[in-house]
């Protein structure tokens, strides 16, 4: 079936370090891919998305490229800040016709230390 | 409103009680989704509405779970005869036509004792 696998956390980094959170997917078709972020005490927010192969989504210094050949959508940021500490969820949708329901990974906790 | 709102934010229920969780989507958002998020897990799809029509309820875990959106705006997720395994955060999301971006509410944290 359709699924998303992302690296387990927690990921602990020092401020200004480079971030990669790996995400791979299994899908029967060509999904749209998303990264959602959940800051402490807040609801899920869309961070970035890509709707077709080789598209790059970017927002707030974060980037992810839709790689069909490796079925991956890894999240990267060149220099993290303490304020980036949150749980990051990789997700896919668009495989079921009209519904557009999201299928999420288990989430990766990022902790950035000053 | 400015965003998706959900109420109550927290609910404690005794096993066997019925609960009702409310979602107010963003005005004009035709699509509405319910997800269940267990502790330490990603959200899992429960059900989907387009206006008042429930087009997909494949994720509802049992017939104790029921959702409605009678006027195509506010939605209610009802859980009958709650069990301990129903303890989770219940998330509501809405989406504008023609987009793929879902906007999430803060969730209702349900604890069944």
């Amino acid at each position: 079936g359709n699924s998303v696998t992302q690296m387990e956390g927690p990921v602990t980094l020092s401020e200004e370090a480079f971030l990669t959170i790996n995400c791979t997917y299994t899908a029967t078709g060509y999904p749209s891919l998303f990264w959602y972020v959940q800051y402490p005490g807040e609801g899920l927010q869309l961070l970035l998305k890509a709707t077709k192969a080789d598209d790059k989504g970017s927002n707030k210094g974060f980037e992810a490229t839709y790689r069909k050949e490796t079925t991956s959508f890894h999240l990267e940021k060149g220099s993290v800040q303490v304020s980036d500490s949150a749980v990051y969820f990789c997700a896919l949708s668009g495989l079921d016709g009209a519904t557009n329901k999201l299928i999420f990974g288990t989430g990766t906790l990022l902790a950035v230390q000053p | 409103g400015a965003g998706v709102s959900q109420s109550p934010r927290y609910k404690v229920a005794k096993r066997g009680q019925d609960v009702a969780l409310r979602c107010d989507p963003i005005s004009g958002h035709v699509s509405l989704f319910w997800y269940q998020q267990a502790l330490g897990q990603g959200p899992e799809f429960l059900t989907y509405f387009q206006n008042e029509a429930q087009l997909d309820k494949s994720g509802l875990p049992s017939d104790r779970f029921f959702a409605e959106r009678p006027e195509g705006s506010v939605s209610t997720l009802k859980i009958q005869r709650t069990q301990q395994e129903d303890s989770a955060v219940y998330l509501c999301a809405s989406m504008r036509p023609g987009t793929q971006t879902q906007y999430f509410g803060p969730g209702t944290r349900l604890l069944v004792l």
Side-chain angles (χ1 to χ4, degrees):
Chain A
N2 303 313
S3 65
V4 174
T5 301
Q6 59 182 108
M7 64 189 286
E8 289 190 18
V11 174
T12 304
L13 295 174
S14 298
E15 207 164 21
E16 299 184 2
F18 184 85
L19 168 71
T20 300
I21 300 178
N22 290 337
C23 171
T24 58
Y25 67 90
T26 302
T28 52
Y30 301 99
S32 295
L33 300 174
F34 305 81
W35 277 100
Y36 276 81
V37 59
Q38 191 168 36
Y39 297 104
E42 298 185 18
L44 277 168
Q45 302 173 25
L46 178 66
L47 180 59
L48 53 83
K49 69 179 181 183
T51 57
K52 60 183 189 296
D54 299 325
D55 270 2
K56 178 186 285 188
S58 61
N59 186 25
K60 299 182 181 180
F62 291 88
E63 292 183 340
T65 301
Y66 189 162
R67 302 284 189 202
K68 192 175 78 168
E69 63 276 11
T70 54
T71 62
S72 65
F73 193 54
H74 304 322
L75 182 68
E76 296 182 336
K77 186 175 186 183
S79 175
V80 293
Q81 305 300 312
V82 172
S83 58
D84 294 327
S85 298
V87 181
Y88 292 82
F89 293 92
C90 185
L92 62 81
S93 79
L95 296 173
D96 52 7
T99 301
N100 277 316
K101 63 187 174 189
L102 288 163
I103 296 173
F104 286 89
T106 55
T108 302
L109 173 64
L110 170 65
V112 180
Q113 299 175 336
Chain B
V4 178
S5 60
Q6 293 185 243
S7 61
R9 291 294 308 277
Y10 303 92
K11 177 69 178 177
V12 179
K14 292 183 179 178
R15 192 158 52 102
Q17 280 186 330
D18 298 348
V19 299
L21 312 180
R22 177 188 169 103
C23 172
D24 281 89
I26 294 172
S27 178
H29 282 198
V30 167
S31 300
L32 185 145
F33 303 80
W34 283 98
Y35 294 87
Q36 181 191 57
Q37 185 175 17
L39 189 64
Q41 300 297 312
E44 293 193 357
F45 171 79
L46 293 176
T47 188
Y48 163 68
F49 290 85
Q50 185 171 317
N51 293 305
E52 69 278 3
Q54 188 175 19
L55 299 185
D56 188 341
K57 52 182 180 179
S58 61
L60 295 177
S62 78
D63 59 7
R64 296 186 295 104
F65 287 70
F66 171 77
E68 61 183 5
R69 194 186 184 195
E71 297 178 359
S73 178
V74 171
S75 177
T76 304
L77 176 67
K78 297 179 179 178
I79 309 173
Q80 297 177 323
R81 305 180 303 282
T82 52
Q83 304 296 313
Q84 285 186 319
E85 62 262 29
D86 300 334
S87 297
V89 176
Y90 291 85
L91 298 171
C92 176
S94 68
M95 188 172 75
R96 200 160 43 90
T99 73
Q100 288 187 302
T101 301
Q102 295 185 27
Y103 294 85
F104 283 81
T108 294
R109 186 176 297 275
L110 173 65
L111 177 62
V112 181
L113 301 176

